[in-house]
Amino acid sequence: MTNNNQQFASDNYSGICPEAWAAMEKANQGHERAYGDDQWTERAAEYFRKLFETDCEVFFAFNGTAANSLALASLCQSYHSVICSETAHVETDECGAPEFFSNGSKLLTAPSVNGKLTPQSIREVALKRQDIHYPKPRVVTLTQATEVGSVYRPDELKAISATCKELGLNLHMDGARFSNACAFLACSPAELTWKAGVDVLCFGGTKNGMAVGEAILFFNRDLAEDFDYRCKQAGQLASKMRFLSAPWVGLLEDGAWLRHGQHANHCAQLLASLVKGLPDVELMFPVEANGVFLQMPEHALEALRNKGWRFYTFIGSGGARFMCSWDTQEARVRELAADIRAIVGS
C-alpha cells in the first residue's frame, strides 16, 4: 500500500528503519553502564573496525553538524584553514559550526566539478597565499556522496590524497550519504576511505534509517588524541550512549546499511528514468546516489507544489532536488513522475 505521506524533499523525512528500531528495543532491556562504557558501544565500534578492515578509533555524535565540526576542529588550530567545495555542507548549511568549534579556523572555498573537488582546485587555494597574514591551509574536506549527488571514485580520492600529502594537508570526509556512495560504486568502505588516503570519516546514520547518530572514524589514530574530551565539551557525549550506538549494531551486523543505500539509489534511478526525455525537464547532475536534481520551469514547480509535493529549490532558478530514502516506495516514485509528466505535458 502506498504511503501518501512520503515526500522527496529530504532523506531526513524518513522514519527509523526496522533494524535500528529492533536494536534500540534490545538495548532498552535492563541497565547498562553509562557514557559509552557499555556492550552496545563496544560492539558497534568492533563492527566498524571489521567493516573497514582496520583498527580505527570510533566515536559517536548526535548529528552531522557536530560530527563534521568536531572532526575538523581536531585536525587544525584556530589559525589554520579548511579547504572545501563552494557547495559543501560545512560551508552552506552548518551555521558557522566548523569555525566555532575550531575556535576560528577559516573555511576556504574551492571551485568544484559536479560538486567534486579536484587536485587542481585544492592546489590553487592552498598555494594562493603563503604569507603569515593568511590562515594557513591545513585540512581538505570533501563530501561523499556530494551535495549534488555525485560520487568520488577511488582514483579521484587517491589523487586528492596525494595532493594533500604533498601540501601537508589532512583529509576529512563528510560521509552523510557514504552508504549511498558505497552502493553506487560497489566498493568496500575501506577502498573509499583509508585505502584511498582519507584520515577521518564522518559516517552518516541519520539519512540511512537511524533516528539520530553519526559515527566519527579516525583511520589516523594519532589525530584522535583527546577527541573524547572534545565530544564531552561540545555536549556530544551521550550519558545513555547505548541508544546512539545500538542502532549502528542493527545497521552493520547483517549489511542493512548497504541494502538501504542500494534501495534509495534504485528509487532515484527509477525517478530519473521515468522523467527522461520530457519537454522542459533536464537532469542538472548525473544521478549517482539517492538524489535527483531536475531543471524545470517555475510554473511547473509551482504546479507540483500545488499538488502537495515537497522538495527543495536551493540549487538555482528552476532547479529542484528530489531525495529518495531507505523506505521510499516505488509506487510513490511513479506517482511523482506521473504528476511531473502531466504538468509539463500540459
Side-chain angles (χ1 to χ4, degrees):
M1 185 173 71
T2 300
N3 179 352
N4 288 322
N5 290 323
Q6 282 198 345
Q7 291 287 349
F8 295 85
S10 173
D11 33 11
N12 289 326
Y13 275 38
S14 63
I16 305 173
C17 67
E19 297 85 358
W21 189 270
M24 288 188 73
E25 185 177 17
K26 291 178 184 176
N28 198 36
Q29 307 302 313
H31 283 208
E32 284 281 355
R33 297 175 72 172
Y35 300 110
D37 193 19
D38 61 273
Q39 60 163 319
W40 291 96
T41 302
E42 182 180 357
R43 285 176 63 191
E46 285 305 314
Y47 273 126
F48 275 117
R49 293 176 184 125
K50 181 178 179 182
L51 180 65
F52 283 84
E53 308 168 52
T54 188
D55 185 24
C56 52
E57 287 272 20
V58 182
F59 301 88
F60 299 96
F62 288 99
N63 56 40
T65 296
N68 285 331
S69 301
L70 294 175
L72 291 173
S74 72
L75 301 178
C76 54
Q77 299 291 337
S78 59
Y79 49 83
H80 286 142
S81 56
V82 177
I83 299 172
C84 64
S85 161
E86 76 277 5
T87 60
H89 197 272
V90 292
E91 162 69 10
T92 64
D93 291 282
E94 293 186 352
C95 197
E99 294 95 333
F100 176 80
F101 282 105
S102 64
N103 211 21
S105 298
K106 185 176 177 61
L107 295 179
L108 301 177
T109 59
S112 58
V113 180
N114 280 342
K116 293 192 280 190
L117 290 173
T118 64
Q120 180 183 358
S121 64
I122 292 168
R123 190 182 304 278
E124 287 176 358
V125 173
L127 300 178
K128 179 181 178 182
R129 281 178 60 179
Q130 296 176 289
D131 58 275
I132 201 167
H133 303 287
Y134 199 68
K136 184 178 182 180
R138 183 61 177 167
V139 184
V140 169
T141 177
L142 48 82
T143 315
Q144 180 77 310
T146 73
E147 288 77 9
V148 298
S150 54
V151 173
Y152 287 93
R153 275 57 170 177
D155 286 349
E156 292 174 313
L157 295 173
K158 289 176 182 176
I160 288 173
S161 171
T163 301
C164 289
K165 285 182 170 58
E166 176 193 337
L167 299 175
L169 307 172
N170 291 314
L171 183 55
H172 164 265
M173 178 178 283
D174 174 354
R177 298 184 178 94
F178 183 73
S179 301
N180 304 94
C182 290
F184 174 72
L185 293 176
C187 288
S188 72
E191 289 172 322
L192 291 182
T193 53
W194 65 271
K195 287 185 177 180
V198 174
D199 295 305
V200 185
L201 167 71
C202 294
F203 194 149
T206 309
K207 291 179 170 62
N208 201 29
M210 286 171 54
V212 292
E214 315 291 295
I216 304 116
L217 279 57
F218 285 84
F219 305 110
N220 182 341
R221 294 173 67 96
D222 292 340
L223 298 173
E225 183 178 359
D226 291 341
F227 192 75
D228 48 349
Y229 285 86
R230 287 190 184 276
C231 290
K232 172 62 181 179
Q233 187 182 61
Q236 295 296 312
L237 178 63
S239 52
K240 296 184 179 181
M241 182 68 80
R242 68 187 187 274
F243 296 111
L244 276 187
S245 55
W248 279 113
V249 174
L251 280 178
L252 297 177
E253 62 185 350
D254 71 345
W257 69 276
L258 185 59
R259 291 196 303 275
H260 292 329
Q262 290 168 334
H263 174 76
N265 288 4
H266 164 73
C267 289
Q269 292 285 351
L270 175 62
L271 176 60
S273 69
L274 291 173
V275 301
K276 184 178 181 180
L278 290 179
D280 296 326
V281 178
E282 292 184 17
L283 275 178
M284 299 176 69
F285 307 99
V287 180
E288 297 183 345
N290 60 322
V292 181
F293 293 78
L294 297 178
Q295 189 84 35
M296 299 169 61
E298 286 292 343
H299 68 83
L301 296 177
E302 188 61 28
L304 273 179
R305 293 189 191 96
N306 291 338
K307 283 180 173 287
W309 294 104
R310 295 182 181 179
F311 48 88
Y312 285 138
T313 55
F314 55 80
I315 57 260
S317 177
R321 186 191 78 167
F322 300 89
M323 298 300 300
C324 299
S325 60
W326 70 269
D327 64 344
T328 297
Q329 296 180 353
E330 286 193 16
R332 190 65 169 157
V333 175
R334 295 182 187 278
E335 287 177 27
L336 171 60
D339 279 349
I340 294 174
R341 184 176 296 274
I343 289 168
V344 299
S346 62

